[in-house]
Amino acid sequence: MDGSSKAQVGVIGLAVMGANLARNIERNGYICAVYNRTAEVTRRFSEEYNGNFLPSYSLEDFVSSLVRPRKILLMVKAGVAVDAVIDALLPYLEEGDLIADLGNSHFKDTKRRGEYLSGKGIRFLGVGISGGEEGALWGPSIMAGGDRSGWEEVRDIFDKISAKAPDPCHAYIGPEGSGHFVKMVHNGIEYGDMQLIAESYHLLKEGFDFSNELLGNTFAKWNEGVLSSYLIEITSRIFKVKDREGDGYLLDKILDKAHQKGTGKWTVETALELGVAVPVIASAVTARGLSMIKDERVKAAQKLKESGSVEYGGLDRDSAGDCVESALYCSKIMSYAQGLSLIKKASDKWKWGVDIGEVASIWRGGCIIRASFLDDITLAYKEDSSLDNLVLAPFVKEALLSRLNEWRKAIAFGVSCGIPLLGMSSALAYYDSYRRANLPQNLTQAQRDFFGAHTYERVDKEGVFHTEWEEENQS
């Protein structure tokens, strides 16, 4: 096979995401080599899609079909499968070739793989891809980390296949596993975003008996304002879908058990390791866990009924939509603020040099958490790249203060009705904690010193102190 007929890039893994990405690449003017471990999958792909594809049925032929330096994109399941494919490829690769893992790999695995391959002269990228099946086909948000020269090799390809808002929604995030780290946090924010939307739905449905039609119209209206986003848009459409297999709406027939694949949990675990507070994201992971114990909840609903009447106050049906809109907007900002703070802390710790404003910028198109207020977030970090926390940005301060009363009112109403608001209440508590000069953890530290001699610092003098609390009590 001569160089003119070889592929500029290859994709391994032809499940829906991999197949759509290959089609995106080919549609943008590239010859794309394709391979799947199951030969029948490769055969079906080549039969279904005509174009500049070079199907192979062995890894040796696949590698031979690529121009050098070879650019190989892995679209396989995260975990041991990635390591297995890499090891299987190595005998056929040469120094300077590039492997890019575009799956949802853990950033620590990406760092390990990069170090391993670097020692063999192979360049490696860990690339976060967001946008789902449609994004892979028509333009995802792309977050790349790892070998910088490897990024330069594929930059033009990513430039063409990524979403545009209006600039290409891709970036070289930094070295090591930083690309997959940012994608992990993106997914954590996504968890928080979805939980907050679910709570808004619950407030309006249970608290004010909003019909599905009214809910759909309310969310559609929200999508025309500050809440304009992909998730709000699709939610407004979900409410209006009728059940083809029976009466009523499809949403009402879906079991209230939300599964998860792990990236939200990884975000929370990493935040705990780094000492960064992400309560909205943590509450979203917790909420999905609670949703899974359906049988227990059904039993508890019968055994834990409240007796007597409950007084609902502070919110009426006419103003409920606007009030919940404000509460959702403020809470969503907290979710993004927590995620971006986590990225900043990781970047500082591992010296990645992540540009937070650029991260916000590439999330404006293609990805699941794309939202109009990412324009404001991008601008805020452009004006002050040293922001300690998004909460301190002028536009956030103004947005929150003007909606604070409604935010509190919506949560107070939910609490009075017994409607669980894990995300919204934790978002407000985060905001209230962040803006407090003094928190009650002086007592926590005193307790730690009492039972464990963990010492404490004082507000009036330098140094580290310990008190014999039992002796002081007796004196």
Side-chain angles (χ1 to χ4, degrees):
M1 185 181 294
D2 60 47
S4 62
S5 59
K6 288 192 173 186
Q8 295 104 320
V9 62
V11 173
I12 295 179
L14 296 175
V16 176
M17 286 288 290
N20 281 0
L21 187 76
R23 292 169 60 196
N24 188 350
I25 291 169
E26 188 273 339
R27 189 180 64 250
N28 279 282
Y30 296 94
I31 301 174
C32 183
V34 293
Y35 171 83
N36 196 84
R37 183 184 63 174
T38 304
E40 181 58 30
V41 174
T42 307
R43 188 173 292 108
R44 285 201 305 268
F45 178 90
S46 61
E47 290 173 353
E48 185 171 357
Y49 303 113
N50 296 316
N52 289 319
F53 296 108
L54 296 182
S56 295
Y57 296 91
S58 74
L59 283 178
E60 184 176 9
D61 288 345
F62 171 80
V63 173
S64 297
S65 72
L66 294 165
V67 297
R68 293 191 59 196
R70 301 174 181 96
K71 295 176 279 292
I72 299 172
L73 310 182
L74 305 185
M75 293 294 289
V76 300
K77 186 176 181 180
V80 295
V82 178
D83 292 310
V85 172
I86 289 173
D87 287 339
L89 279 169
L90 281 176
Y92 310 114
L93 299 181
E94 298 174 88
E95 186 173 350
D97 287 345
L98 168 70
I99 298 175
D101 172 18
L102 276 63
N104 270 335
S105 291
H106 196 288
F107 74 98
K108 291 182 179 179
D109 288 337
T110 299
K111 182 178 184 296
R112 169 180 57 80
R113 290 170 184 140
E115 293 171 350
Y116 170 68
L117 289 170
S118 177
K120 296 181 177 298
I122 306 300
R123 294 177 289 181
F124 184 68
L125 290 174
V127 183
I129 297 286
S130 179
E133 298 173 10
E134 287 298 304
L137 181 59
W138 299 108
S141 175
I142 300 174
M143 298 146 264
D147 189 290
R148 183 64 189 251
S149 68
W151 160 252
E152 296 300 335
E153 287 286 346
V154 293
R155 182 172 185 166
D156 287 345
I157 297 173
F158 288 168
D159 193 68
K160 291 182 179 178
I161 70 170
S162 63
K164 310 296 185 293
D167 298 320
C169 294
H170 68 70
Y172 175 77
I173 301 298
E176 300 180 338
S178 58
H180 274 145
F181 186 94
V182 168
K183 174 55 165 53
M184 175 191 75
V185 175
H186 163 284
N187 285 20
I189 295 172
E190 178 185 310
Y191 272 59
D193 213 341
M194 294 172 72
Q195 176 62 22
L196 295 168
I197 291 171
E199 290 175 6
S200 300
Y201 153 62
H202 205 183
L203 266 174
L204 295 176
K205 182 178 179 65
E206 296 295 326
F208 296 98
D209 197 29
F210 272 38
S211 65
N212 284 43
E213 182 179 0
L214 181 54
L215 283 164
N217 293 337
T218 299
F219 273 72
K221 177 185 175 184
W222 289 356
N223 196 49
E224 296 173 357
V226 294
L227 286 175
S228 175
S229 64
Y230 172 72
L231 284 172
I232 295 294
E233 177 190 350
I234 66 169
T235 303
S236 70
R237 292 157 59 184
I238 286 170
F239 286 124
K240 297 181 180 182
V241 175
K242 297 289 184 68
D243 181 15
R244 292 186 177 183
E245 299 182 16
D247 296 331
Y249 292 85
L250 178 58
L251 178 61
D252 298 328
K253 307 295 176 59
I254 296 176
L255 186 65
D256 57 328
K257 293 171 68 173
H259 298 259
Q260 50 189 314
K261 291 187 175 180
T263 46
K265 183 185 73 170
W266 292 351
T267 304
V268 177
E269 289 173 342
T270 306
L272 289 171
E273 290 175 12
L274 295 178
V276 178
V278 292
V280 175
I281 299 170
S283 71
V285 174
T286 299
R288 293 197 190 189
L290 283 167
S291 79
M292 295 301 293
I293 55 170
K294 174 71 172 181
D295 292 343
E296 288 183 49
R297 290 189 288 111
V298 171
K299 293 176 183 176
Q302 297 301 317
K303 294 181 178 181
L304 301 177
K305 288 183 177 180
E306 293 184 4
S307 59
S309 60
V310 178
E311 291 186 7
Y312 304 154
L315 197 59
D316 58 66
R317 198 173 194 277
D318 291 339
S319 62
D322 291 339
C323 192
V324 175
E325 178 185 23
S326 292
L328 176 56
Y329 180 58
C330 294
S331 300
K332 278 166 65 76
I333 290 176
M334 293 302 102
S335 183
Y336 284 73
Q338 291 164 26
L340 294 175
S341 292
L342 179 56
I343 293 172
K344 182 179 186 300
K345 182 61 177 285
S347 179
D348 291 344
K349 178 179 175 62
W350 292 307
K351 299 179 172 57
W352 286 340
V354 178
D355 184 334
I356 304 298
E358 186 174 41
V359 169
S361 178
I362 65 172
W363 286 347
R364 293 182 298 167
C367 72
I368 302 302
I369 65 170
R370 60 185 184 267
S372 62
F373 68 59
L374 279 163
D375 290 333
D376 297 322
I377 294 175
T378 301
L379 181 60
Y381 280 97
K382 184 176 181 180
E383 293 176 345
D384 184 1
S385 60
S386 64
L387 269 178
D388 289 327
N389 190 300
L390 178 62
V391 175
L392 299 174
F395 95 88
V396 172
K397 176 183 176 182
E398 180 181 342
L400 297 183
L401 290 179
S402 64
R403 295 172 174 84
L404 189 56
N405 185 54
E406 291 181 312
W407 192 9
R408 295 191 189 283
K409 188 182 294 186
I411 292 171
F413 176 82
V415 171
S416 72
C417 296
I419 297 172
L421 300 174
L422 288 171
M424 281 192 183
S425 57
S426 67
L428 180 57
Y430 176 84
Y431 173 73
D432 283 336
S433 295
Y434 191 78
R435 68 190 188 91
R436 289 274 178 172
N438 295 299
L439 291 170
Q441 273 60 53
N442 57 327
L443 176 58
T444 304
Q445 196 61 19
Q447 292 170 327
R448 295 182 73 244
D449 189 53
F450 192 115
F451 64 70
H454 293 294
T455 73
Y456 56 87
E457 297 171 88
R458 295 179 60 101
V459 298
D460 55 351
K461 62 177 73 174
E462 295 291 328
V464 177
F465 303 89
H466 168 62
T467 294
E468 295 295 339
W469 295 89
E470 290 282 15
E471 294 180 7
E472 293 295 324
N473 273 332
Q474 293 170 5
S475 62

mmCIF file of all heavy atoms in Angstrom, residues 327-361:
data_model
loop_
_atom_site.group_PDB
_atom_site.id
_atom_site.type_symbol
_atom_site.label_atom_id
_atom_site.label_comp_id
_atom_site.label_asym_id
_atom_site.label_seq_id
_atom_site.Cartn_x
_atom_site.Cartn_y
_atom_site.Cartn_z
ATOM 1 N N ALA A 327 -33.495 29.468 42.020
ATOM 2 C CA ALA A 327 -32.804 28.511 42.887
ATOM 3 C C ALA A 327 -31.950 27.557 42.063
ATOM 4 O O ALA A 327 -30.821 27.224 42.447
ATOM 5 C CB ALA A 327 -33.819 27.732 43.717
ATOM 6 N N LEU A 328 -32.472 27.123 40.932
ATOM 7 C CA LEU A 328 -31.725 26.209 40.070
ATOM 8 C C LEU A 328 -30.502 26.914 39.482
ATOM 9 O O LEU A 328 -29.400 26.336 39.453
ATOM 10 C CB LEU A 328 -32.635 25.694 38.953
ATOM 11 C CG LEU A 328 -31.983 24.790 37.901
ATOM 12 C CD1 LEU A 328 -31.317 23.578 38.547
ATOM 13 C CD2 LEU A 328 -33.018 24.340 36.862
ATOM 14 N N TYR A 329 -30.670 28.134 39.047
ATOM 15 C CA TYR A 329 -29.548 28.883 38.457
ATOM 16 C C TYR A 329 -28.428 29.078 39.477
ATOM 17 O O TYR A 329 -27.255 28.800 39.192
ATOM 18 C CB TYR A 329 -30.049 30.232 37.954
ATOM 19 C CG TYR A 329 -28.978 31.105 37.322
ATOM 20 C CD1 TYR A 329 -28.241 30.658 36.234
ATOM 21 C CD2 TYR A 329 -28.713 32.379 37.821
ATOM 22 C CE1 TYR A 329 -27.273 31.460 35.651
ATOM 23 C CE2 TYR A 329 -27.741 33.184 37.245
ATOM 24 C CZ TYR A 329 -27.034 32.720 36.163
ATOM 25 O OH TYR A 329 -26.059 33.518 35.586
ATOM 26 N N CYS A 330 -28.778 29.515 40.664
ATOM 27 C CA CYS A 330 -27.762 29.733 41.708
ATOM 28 C C CYS A 330 -27.068 28.422 42.072
ATOM 29 O O CYS A 330 -25.835 28.384 42.234
ATOM 30 C CB CYS A 330 -28.407 30.335 42.955
ATOM 31 S SG CYS A 330 -29.062 31.996 42.742
ATOM 32 N N SER A 331 -27.835 27.363 42.187
ATOM 33 C CA SER A 331 -27.271 26.068 42.568
ATOM 34 C C SER A 331 -26.358 25.528 41.480
ATOM 35 O O SER A 331 -25.301 24.948 41.763
ATOM 36 C CB SER A 331 -28.385 25.073 42.863
ATOM 37 O OG SER A 331 -29.211 25.515 43.929
ATOM 38 N N LYS A 332 -26.751 25.713 40.211
ATOM 39 C CA LYS A 332 -25.913 25.267 39.099
ATOM 40 C C LYS A 332 -24.570 25.991 39.110
ATOM 41 O O LYS A 332 -23.522 25.382 38.848
ATOM 42 C CB LYS A 332 -26.635 25.507 37.763
ATOM 43 C CG LYS A 332 -27.640 24.432 37.395
ATOM 44 C CD LYS A 332 -28.558 24.884 36.275
ATOM 45 C CE LYS A 332 -27.840 25.125 34.970
ATOM 46 N NZ LYS A 332 -27.484 23.852 34.279
ATOM 47 N N ILE A 333 -24.576 27.260 39.391
ATOM 48 C CA ILE A 333 -23.320 28.008 39.462
ATOM 49 C C ILE A 333 -22.406 27.403 40.516
ATOM 50 O O ILE A 333 -21.187 27.280 40.327
ATOM 51 C CB ILE A 333 -23.579 29.498 39.745
ATOM 52 C CG1 ILE A 333 -24.232 30.165 38.521
ATOM 53 C CG2 ILE A 333 -22.280 30.217 40.106
ATOM 54 C CD1 ILE A 333 -24.618 31.610 38.740
ATOM 55 N N MET A 334 -22.990 26.986 41.654
ATOM 56 C CA MET A 334 -22.183 26.364 42.712
ATOM 57 C C MET A 334 -21.561 25.053 42.231
ATOM 58 O O MET A 334 -20.416 24.741 42.564
ATOM 59 C CB MET A 334 -23.042 26.101 43.947
ATOM 60 C CG MET A 334 -23.540 27.341 44.664
ATOM 61 S SD MET A 334 -22.210 28.451 45.214
ATOM 62 C CE MET A 334 -22.310 29.701 43.927
ATOM 63 N N SER A 335 -22.294 24.283 41.444
ATOM 64 C CA SER A 335 -21.770 23.023 40.931
ATOM 65 C C SER A 335 -20.561 23.279 40.038
ATOM 66 O O SER A 335 -19.524 22.611 40.158
ATOM 67 C CB SER A 335 -22.860 22.273 40.160
ATOM 68 O OG SER A 335 -22.396 21.015 39.708
ATOM 69 N N TYR A 336 -20.674 24.249 39.147
ATOM 70 C CA TYR A 336 -19.554 24.600 38.272
ATOM 71 C C TYR A 336 -18.395 25.167 39.085
ATOM 72 O O TYR A 336 -17.225 24.853 38.830
ATOM 73 C CB TYR A 336 -19.997 25.615 37.223
ATOM 74 C CG TYR A 336 -20.809 25.037 36.087
ATOM 75 C CD1 TYR A 336 -22.127 24.630 36.266
ATOM 76 C CD2 TYR A 336 -20.264 24.880 34.823
ATOM 77 C CE1 TYR A 336 -22.880 24.092 35.238
ATOM 78 C CE2 TYR A 336 -21.001 24.356 33.769
ATOM 79 C CZ TYR A 336 -22.309 23.967 33.982
ATOM 80 O OH TYR A 336 -23.047 23.424 32.953
ATOM 81 N N ALA A 337 -18.702 25.995 40.066
ATOM 82 C CA ALA A 337 -17.657 26.592 40.898
ATOM 83 C C ALA A 337 -16.854 25.513 41.618
ATOM 84 O O ALA A 337 -15.615 25.573 41.701
ATOM 85 C CB ALA A 337 -18.275 27.559 41.913
ATOM 86 N N GLN A 338 -17.545 24.507 42.138
ATOM 87 C CA GLN A 338 -16.864 23.438 42.860
ATOM 88 C C GLN A 338 -15.990 22.614 41.924
ATOM 89 O O GLN A 338 -14.851 22.263 42.256
ATOM 90 C CB GLN A 338 -17.898 22.557 43.561
ATOM 91 C CG GLN A 338 -18.594 23.263 44.711
ATOM 92 C CD GLN A 338 -19.868 22.575 45.168
ATOM 93 O OE1 GLN A 338 -20.026 21.365 44.996
ATOM 94 N NE2 GLN A 338 -20.792 23.339 45.740
ATOM 95 N N GLY A 339 -16.503 22.299 40.740
ATOM 96 C CA GLY A 339 -15.716 21.539 39.777
ATOM 97 C C GLY A 339 -14.479 22.284 39.320
ATOM 98 O O GLY A 339 -13.377 21.714 39.246
ATOM 99 N N LEU A 340 -14.630 23.561 39.020
ATOM 100 C CA LEU A 340 -13.486 24.361 38.565
ATOM 101 C C LEU A 340 -12.465 24.539 39.682
ATOM 102 O O LEU A 340 -11.250 24.578 39.421
ATOM 103 C CB LEU A 340 -13.969 25.714 38.050
ATOM 104 C CG LEU A 340 -14.837 25.649 36.772
ATOM 105 C CD1 LEU A 340 -15.370 27.035 36.413
ATOM 106 C CD2 LEU A 340 -14.052 25.065 35.598
ATOM 107 N N SER A 341 -12.919 24.633 40.919
ATOM 108 C CA SER A 341 -11.994 24.716 42.052
ATOM 109 C C SER A 341 -11.167 23.437 42.172
ATOM 110 O O SER A 341 -9.980 23.480 42.506
ATOM 111 C CB SER A 341 -12.760 24.962 43.355
ATOM 112 O OG SER A 341 -13.335 26.251 43.371
ATOM 113 N N LEU A 342 -11.806 22.307 41.897
ATOM 114 C CA LEU A 342 -11.094 21.029 41.942
ATOM 115 C C LEU A 342 -10.026 20.965 40.847
ATOM 116 O O LEU A 342 -8.901 20.510 41.089
ATOM 117 C CB LEU A 342 -12.090 19.879 41.794
ATOM 118 C CG LEU A 342 -11.509 18.461 41.791
ATOM 119 C CD1 LEU A 342 -10.676 18.195 43.036
ATOM 120 C CD2 LEU A 342 -12.634 17.431 41.670
ATOM 121 N N ILE A 343 -10.374 21.423 39.651
ATOM 122 C CA ILE A 343 -9.386 21.455 38.565
ATOM 123 C C ILE A 343 -8.216 22.361 38.934
ATOM 124 O O ILE A 343 -7.044 22.014 38.715
ATOM 125 C CB ILE A 343 -10.044 21.925 37.254
ATOM 126 C CG1 ILE A 343 -11.063 20.885 36.762
ATOM 127 C CG2 ILE A 343 -8.992 22.173 36.176
ATOM 128 C CD1 ILE A 343 -11.889 21.342 35.582
ATOM 129 N N LYS A 344 -8.503 23.516 39.507
ATOM 130 C CA LYS A 344 -7.452 24.449 39.896
ATOM 131 C C LYS A 344 -6.516 23.829 40.930
ATOM 132 O O LYS A 344 -5.290 23.945 40.833
ATOM 133 C CB LYS A 344 -8.057 25.748 40.446
ATOM 134 C CG LYS A 344 -7.029 26.809 40.825
ATOM 135 C CD LYS A 344 -7.706 28.074 41.331
ATOM 136 C CE LYS A 344 -6.685 29.181 41.568
ATOM 137 N NZ LYS A 344 -5.649 28.820 42.555
ATOM 138 N N LYS A 345 -7.101 23.151 41.921
ATOM 139 C CA LYS A 345 -6.284 22.546 42.968
ATOM 140 C C LYS A 345 -5.387 21.454 42.390
ATOM 141 O O LYS A 345 -4.194 21.361 42.725
ATOM 142 C CB LYS A 345 -7.190 21.972 44.059
ATOM 143 C CG LYS A 345 -6.448 21.347 45.238
ATOM 144 C CD LYS A 345 -5.579 22.367 45.965
ATOM 145 C CE LYS A 345 -4.898 21.756 47.188
ATOM 146 N NZ LYS A 345 -5.838 21.555 48.322
ATOM 147 N N ALA A 346 -5.944 20.620 41.517
ATOM 148 C CA ALA A 346 -5.155 19.557 40.903
ATOM 149 C C ALA A 346 -4.044 20.131 40.031
ATOM 150 O O ALA A 346 -2.906 19.647 40.053
ATOM 151 C CB ALA A 346 -6.067 18.657 40.072
ATOM 152 N N SER A 347 -4.380 21.162 39.267
ATOM 153 C CA SER A 347 -3.376 21.792 38.411
ATOM 154 C C SER A 347 -2.234 22.382 39.229
ATOM 155 O O SER A 347 -1.059 22.246 38.876
ATOM 156 C CB SER A 347 -4.029 22.886 37.558
ATOM 157 O OG SER A 347 -3.078 23.518 36.736
ATOM 158 N N ASP A 348 -2.577 23.025 40.334
ATOM 159 C CA ASP A 348 -1.539 23.597 41.205
ATOM 160 C C ASP A 348 -0.678 22.495 41.827
ATOM 161 O O ASP A 348 0.551 22.611 41.884
ATOM 162 C CB ASP A 348 -2.184 24.440 42.306
ATOM 163 C CG ASP A 348 -2.820 25.719 41.784
ATOM 164 O OD1 ASP A 348 -2.513 26.105 40.634
ATOM 165 O OD2 ASP A 348 -3.624 26.323 42.519
ATOM 166 N N LYS A 349 -1.329 21.426 42.272
ATOM 167 C CA LYS A 349 -0.607 20.348 42.953
ATOM 168 C C LYS A 349 0.344 19.626 42.010
ATOM 169 O O LYS A 349 1.503 19.350 42.364
ATOM 170 C CB LYS A 349 -1.601 19.352 43.556
ATOM 171 C CG LYS A 349 -0.937 18.152 44.246
ATOM 172 C CD LYS A 349 -1.975 17.217 44.843
ATOM 173 C CE LYS A 349 -1.333 15.968 45.430
ATOM 174 N NZ LYS A 349 -0.413 16.271 46.538
ATOM 175 N N TRP A 350 -0.142 19.319 40.815
ATOM 176 C CA TRP A 350 0.668 18.527 39.883
ATOM 177 C C TRP A 350 1.345 19.374 38.812
ATOM 178 O O TRP A 350 1.927 18.826 37.866
ATOM 179 C CB TRP A 350 -0.202 17.437 39.264
ATOM 180 C CG TRP A 350 -0.596 16.398 40.281
ATOM 181 C CD1 TRP A 350 0.247 15.703 41.105
ATOM 182 C CD2 TRP A 350 -1.920 15.943 40.603
ATOM 183 N NE1 TRP A 350 -0.459 14.839 41.908
ATOM 184 C CE2 TRP A 350 -1.795 14.957 41.630
ATOM 185 C CE3 TRP A 350 -3.191 16.237 40.133
ATOM 186 C CZ2 TRP A 350 -2.889 14.296 42.177
ATOM 187 C CZ3 TRP A 350 -4.285 15.588 40.681
ATOM 188 C CH2 TRP A 350 -4.135 14.633 41.686
ATOM 189 N N LYS A 351 1.235 20.708 38.941
ATOM 190 C CA LYS A 351 1.926 21.630 38.039
ATOM 191 C C LYS A 351 1.576 21.382 36.569
ATOM 192 O O LYS A 351 2.429 21.306 35.697
ATOM 193 C CB LYS A 351 3.449 21.551 38.254
ATOM 194 C CG LYS A 351 3.871 21.947 39.664
ATOM 195 C CD LYS A 351 5.364 21.827 39.853
ATOM 196 C CE LYS A 351 5.809 22.395 41.197
ATOM 197 N NZ LYS A 351 5.131 21.753 42.353
ATOM 198 N N TRP A 352 0.262 21.300 36.318
ATOM 199 C CA TRP A 352 -0.217 21.071 34.967
ATOM 200 C C TRP A 352 -0.355 22.362 34.161
ATOM 201 O O TRP A 352 -0.350 22.330 32.939
ATOM 202 C CB TRP A 352 -1.580 20.373 35.008
ATOM 203 C CG TRP A 352 -1.508 18.921 35.387
ATOM 204 C CD1 TRP A 352 -0.434 18.088 35.322
ATOM 205 C CD2 TRP A 352 -2.606 18.127 35.869
ATOM 206 N NE1 TRP A 352 -0.773 16.827 35.733
ATOM 207 C CE2 TRP A 352 -2.107 16.811 36.075
ATOM 208 C CE3 TRP A 352 -3.949 18.378 36.148
ATOM 209 C CZ2 TRP A 352 -2.907 15.761 36.532
ATOM 210 C CZ3 TRP A 352 -4.746 17.343 36.610
ATOM 211 C CH2 TRP A 352 -4.223 16.054 36.800
ATOM 212 N N GLY A 353 -0.532 23.484 34.842
ATOM 213 C CA GLY A 353 -0.712 24.748 34.140
ATOM 214 C C GLY A 353 -2.028 24.854 33.392
ATOM 215 O O GLY A 353 -2.089 25.437 32.305
ATOM 216 N N VAL A 354 -3.091 24.318 33.962
ATOM 217 C CA VAL A 354 -4.395 24.336 33.290
ATOM 218 C C VAL A 354 -4.952 25.758 33.244
ATOM 219 O O VAL A 354 -4.957 26.469 34.250
ATOM 220 C CB VAL A 354 -5.397 23.407 34.006
ATOM 221 C CG1 VAL A 354 -6.770 23.464 33.326
ATOM 222 C CG2 VAL A 354 -4.881 21.977 34.026
ATOM 223 N N ASP A 355 -5.425 26.163 32.090
ATOM 224 C CA ASP A 355 -6.085 27.453 31.907
ATOM 225 C C ASP A 355 -7.586 27.247 32.159
ATOM 226 O O ASP A 355 -8.293 26.700 31.304
ATOM 227 C CB ASP A 355 -5.836 27.963 30.485
ATOM 228 C CG ASP A 355 -6.409 29.345 30.219
ATOM 229 O OD1 ASP A 355 -7.381 29.733 30.895
ATOM 230 O OD2 ASP A 355 -5.892 30.039 29.329
ATOM 231 N N ILE A 356 -8.071 27.672 33.316
ATOM 232 C CA ILE A 356 -9.469 27.422 33.693
ATOM 233 C C ILE A 356 -10.430 28.101 32.726
ATOM 234 O O ILE A 356 -11.472 27.544 32.356
ATOM 235 C CB ILE A 356 -9.744 27.903 35.135
ATOM 236 C CG1 ILE A 356 -8.778 27.234 36.127
ATOM 237 C CG2 ILE A 356 -11.187 27.583 35.528
ATOM 238 C CD1 ILE A 356 -8.886 25.745 36.210
ATOM 239 N N GLY A 357 -10.085 29.293 32.290
ATOM 240 C CA GLY A 357 -10.939 29.992 31.330
ATOM 241 C C GLY A 357 -11.050 29.235 30.020
ATOM 242 O O GLY A 357 -12.127 29.179 29.408
ATOM 243 N N GLU A 358 -9.954 28.626 29.595
ATOM 244 C CA GLU A 358 -9.989 27.840 28.357
ATOM 245 C C GLU A 358 -10.847 26.594 28.532
ATOM 246 O O GLU A 358 -11.567 26.189 27.613
ATOM 247 C CB GLU A 358 -8.569 27.453 27.943
ATOM 248 C CG GLU A 358 -8.506 26.753 26.595
ATOM 249 C CD GLU A 358 -7.079 26.506 26.134
ATOM 250 O OE1 GLU A 358 -6.236 26.135 26.978
ATOM 251 O OE2 GLU A 358 -6.810 26.682 24.932
ATOM 252 N N VAL A 359 -10.776 25.984 29.710
ATOM 253 C CA VAL A 359 -11.635 24.826 29.993
ATOM 254 C C VAL A 359 -13.106 25.221 29.856
ATOM 255 O O VAL A 359 -13.899 24.539 29.192
ATOM 256 C CB VAL A 359 -11.356 24.265 31.398
ATOM 257 C CG1 VAL A 359 -12.415 23.239 31.792
ATOM 258 C CG2 VAL A 359 -9.963 23.646 31.470
ATOM 259 N N ALA A 360 -13.477 26.336 30.478
ATOM 260 C CA ALA A 360 -14.865 26.807 30.380
ATOM 261 C C ALA A 360 -15.232 27.086 28.929
ATOM 262 O O ALA A 360 -16.357 26.797 28.491
ATOM 263 C CB ALA A 360 -15.051 28.057 31.233
ATOM 264 N N SER A 361 -14.276 27.614 28.177
ATOM 265 C CA SER A 361 -14.534 27.970 26.787
ATOM 266 C C SER A 361 -14.851 26.747 25.932
ATOM 267 O O SER A 361 -15.786 26.768 25.123
ATOM 268 C CB SER A 361 -13.323 28.710 26.212
ATOM 269 O OG SER A 361 -13.518 29.020 24.847
#
